């Protein structure tokens, strides 16, 4: 016992060794304790202190222990239902065969017995609580059910031989698998339907339905939260994709604009170089034209000088010939004077020719 107490002190309510059905106050080992179907001690840890810890912690966090408890109760109820079916088969084999019509009439008697038993159990509970008026109302309902039972038993008795009617017809309780007699008195019915075993099974079955509802609600809530998170993730992914596409579009547009600026820069550079070459070629043509104009003017000057020199020589030659003719007619003295004058003019002409040739050479240089 001390070792078990020490183990309970070391663990927490979330430990797998702790009974989750006990934490939710629905373990069949606790509910059916002290009945003829006592299951003994649970294999997992039961501790009221751990239940108190769980009740405090569950207000701040959902541990979803309802699913474990639901699985536990479903397994227990499924085993109970299997025992009920086995008991029904055994009764069908041992009891005398009756027609379907007689069986339906007997079933009506059993239903009224069950109703009377539940009402009597409720009367005892209300009397224990001191609620006399409500208890009296329920007793009125019991009397009505008893009257219906007497009528149903009369119909059932008239539908079969007296010998067969006197046989005890049993029925298996659908809630707790206990046997019920067709001719049980009110005290026997009240003890059964108000007993701890029957009420314990009712409590377990009601708790199982409640757990199913809670688990379904929590699963639906979880699914909605999961769906919401998935939608948020998808929204974030779409937003990331949109931002990525936007950045890619901006980069692409930036690259396009950069290429366009480079293309325009290259085009402007080509146009600038072209204009520069055009200006250079026009200047070179202008210079060459100027040079050609200067050279043509120099050539024209040279031709005019040569032409004037030739004309001057021709005039001088003509003048000298005239002088020769005139000298033949003059005296020898005049002839000598004229010869000297011609030699002097000839010398002057050669010096002018030399001077003009030097000017031409200088101009050509």
């Amino acid at each position: 016992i001390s070792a078990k107490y020490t183990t309970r002190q070391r663990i927490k309510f979330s430990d797998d060794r702790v009974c989750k059905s006990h934490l939710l106050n629905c373990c069949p080992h606790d509910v059916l304790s002290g009945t003829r179907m006592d299951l003994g001690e649970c294999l997992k840890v039961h501790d009221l202190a751990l239940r108190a810890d769980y009740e405090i912690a569950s207000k701040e966090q959902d541990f979803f222990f309802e699913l474990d408890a639901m699985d536990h109760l479903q397994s227990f109820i499924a085993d109970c239902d299997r025992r009920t079916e086995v008991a029904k088969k055994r009764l069908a084999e041992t009891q005398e065969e009756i027609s379907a019509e007689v069986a339906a009439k007997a079933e009506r008697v059993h239903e009224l017995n069950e109703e009377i038993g539940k009402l009597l159990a409720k009367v005892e509970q209300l009397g224990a609580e001191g609620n006399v008026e409500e208890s009296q109302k329920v007793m009125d309902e019991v009397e009505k059910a008893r009257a219906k039972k007497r009528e149903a038993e009369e119909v059932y008795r008239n539908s079969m031989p007296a010998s067969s009617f006197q046989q005890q017809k049993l029925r298996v309780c659908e809630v707790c698998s206990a046997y019920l007699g067709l001719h049980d008195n009110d005290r026997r019915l009240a003890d059964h339907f108000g007993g701890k075993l029957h009420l314990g099974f009712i409590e377990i079955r009601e708790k199982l339905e409640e757990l199913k509802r809670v688990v379904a609600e929590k699963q639906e809530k979880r699914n909605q939260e999961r769906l919401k998170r998935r939608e948020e993730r998808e929204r974030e992914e779409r937003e990331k994709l949109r931002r990525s596409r936007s950045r890619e579009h901006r980069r692409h547009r930036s690259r396009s604009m950069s290429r366009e600026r480079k293309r325009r820069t290259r085009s402007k550079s080509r146009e600038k170089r072209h204009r520069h070459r055009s200006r250079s070629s026009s200047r070179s043509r202008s210079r060459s034209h100027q040079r050609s104009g200067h050279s043509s003017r120099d050539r024209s000057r040279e031709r005019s000088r040569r032409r004037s020199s030739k004309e001057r020589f021709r005039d001088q030659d003509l003048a000298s010939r005239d002088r020769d003719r005139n000298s033949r007619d003059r005296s020898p003295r005049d002839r000598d004077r004229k010869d000297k004058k011609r030699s002097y003019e000839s010398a002057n002409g050669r010096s002018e020719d030399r001077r003009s040739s030097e000017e031409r050479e200088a101009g050509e240089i």
Side-chain angles (χ1 to χ4, degrees):
I1 297 175
S2 61
K4 188 174 182 180
Y5 176 79
T6 304
T7 302
R8 290 179 178 179
Q9 292 298 315
R10 283 201 307 266
I11 65 176
K12 296 182 178 180
F13 65 86
S14 58
D15 195 288
D16 292 338
R17 292 172 290 178
V18 177
C19 178
K20 304 304 184 293
S21 299
H22 170 72
L23 297 179
L24 294 171
N25 195 23
C26 61
C27 181
H29 294 266
D30 293 338
V31 175
L32 301 179
S33 176
T35 66
R36 66 180 182 85
M37 289 187 64
D38 193 331
L39 302 175
E41 187 176 359
C42 183
L43 298 178
K44 293 191 175 184
V45 176
H46 285 208
D47 192 347
L48 295 177
L50 295 177
R51 182 190 293 176
D53 294 341
Y54 165 73
E55 290 175 353
I56 295 173
S58 61
K59 295 178 181 179
E60 300 179 356
Q61 181 181 352
D62 187 5
F63 297 93
F64 212 65
F65 288 163
E66 291 84 359
L67 182 61
D68 297 330
M70 185 186 71
D71 292 339
H72 185 197
L73 296 187
Q74 277 183 331
S75 176
F76 175 77
I77 293 298
D79 184 59
C80 180
D81 291 341
R82 283 194 295 270
R83 289 198 301 270
T84 301
E85 293 299 324
V86 171
K88 287 180 178 181
K89 289 181 180 179
R90 187 181 296 116
L91 285 177
E93 292 173 356
T94 56
Q95 291 186 354
E96 183 181 351
E97 292 291 336
I98 58 177
S99 63
E101 181 181 357
V102 174
K105 294 177 181 179
E107 184 67 22
R108 176 58 181 166
V109 175
H110 281 296
E111 291 175 356
L112 291 171
N113 281 338
E114 184 175 349
E115 182 180 353
I116 293 171
K118 290 179 180 179
L119 291 173
L120 290 174
K122 188 175 181 181
V123 168
E124 292 180 359
Q125 182 181 359
L126 292 172
E129 295 174 354
N131 195 343
V132 180
E133 294 181 1
E134 191 68 24
S135 175
Q136 187 62 41
K137 292 180 180 179
V138 176
M139 279 302 300
D140 294 339
E141 295 179 6
V142 170
E143 292 299 328
K144 293 178 182 179
R146 284 173 177 170
K148 292 179 181 179
K149 178 186 176 183
R150 286 192 293 271
E151 294 178 0
E153 285 178 342
E154 185 68 22
V155 172
Y156 174 66
R157 184 184 297 108
N158 295 331
S159 64
M160 60 187 308
S163 59
S164 299
F165 177 75
Q166 294 298 328
Q167 294 179 358
Q168 180 72 2
K169 295 294 182 181
L170 298 179
R171 181 190 178 201
V172 180
C173 179
E174 299 289 344
V175 176
C176 60
S177 302
Y179 289 106
L180 296 174
L182 183 65
H183 306 299
D184 288 342
N185 57 27
D186 293 345
R187 182 73 263 167
R188 170 74 179 85
L189 295 174
D191 290 341
H192 171 77
F193 290 105
K196 187 177 181 181
L197 177 64
H198 187 84
L199 295 178
F201 270 96
I202 291 177
E203 180 182 352
I204 293 173
R205 290 178 183 276
E206 289 179 351
K207 188 65 176 181
L208 177 59
E209 295 300 321
E210 179 184 354
L211 289 175
K212 287 180 179 180
R213 179 181 56 80
V214 172
V215 169
E217 291 176 356
K218 290 189 175 184
Q219 286 179 342
E220 180 65 21
K221 184 178 179 181
R222 282 191 173 187
N223 292 334
Q224 291 179 357
E225 292 177 353
R226 191 180 297 112
L227 181 61
K228 185 177 179 180
R229 288 194 298 269
R230 185 175 65 183
E231 291 176 352
E232 290 177 355
R233 286 195 301 269
E234 291 177 354
R235 192 183 305 110
E236 291 176 358
E237 291 176 357
R238 287 195 299 269
E239 184 65 21
K240 289 180 181 179
L241 181 60
R242 188 187 64 80
R243 288 196 296 266
S244 176
R245 288 179 177 175
S246 179
R247 287 195 298 269
E248 183 66 24
H249 178 68
R250 286 196 297 270
R251 285 197 295 268
H252 178 71
R253 186 171 59 185
S254 177
R255 287 195 296 267
S256 300
M257 293 175 66
S258 177
R259 287 195 297 268
E260 182 65 20
R261 284 195 298 270
K262 290 180 180 179
R263 187 184 65 79
R264 291 178 180 175
T265 303
R266 288 195 297 268
S267 177
K268 290 179 179 179
S269 299
R270 285 195 298 269
E271 291 177 357
K272 190 174 181 180
R273 288 195 298 271
H274 180 69
R275 288 197 299 269
H276 180 70
R277 285 197 297 268
S278 299
R279 287 195 296 268
S280 299
S281 60
S282 63
R283 283 197 298 268
S284 62
R285 284 196 299 270
S286 177
R287 284 195 296 270
S288 62
H289 181 68
Q290 290 176 0
R291 284 197 298 271
S292 62
H294 288 307
S295 60
S296 62
R297 285 196 296 272
D298 292 339
R299 286 193 295 272
S300 63
R301 289 197 199 98
E302 180 65 25
R303 283 194 296 269
S304 61
R305 289 196 194 98
R306 290 178 182 176
R307 193 180 300 111
S308 61
S309 177
K310 288 180 181 180
E311 290 177 353
R312 192 167 51 251
F313 287 153
R314 189 169 52 253
D315 292 339
Q316 289 176 1
D317 189 23
L318 292 174
S320 64
R321 289 178 183 175
D322 290 338
R323 282 194 299 271
D324 288 340
R325 281 193 296 270
N326 291 328
S327 64
R328 292 192 195 101
D329 297 332
R330 293 178 184 176
S331 60
R333 189 175 185 179
D334 294 333
R335 194 181 303 120
D336 293 336
R337 193 181 299 122
K338 291 179 182 179
D339 291 337
K340 289 180 182 180
K341 188 177 180 180
R342 272 198 307 274
S343 61
Y344 177 76
E345 290 176 354
S346 177
N348 289 335
R350 284 195 298 273
S351 63
E352 289 179 0
D353 293 337
R354 193 182 300 112
R355 194 179 300 115
S356 63
S357 63
E358 290 177 357
E359 290 177 357
R360 283 195 305 273
E361 291 175 356
E364 292 175 357
I365 295 171

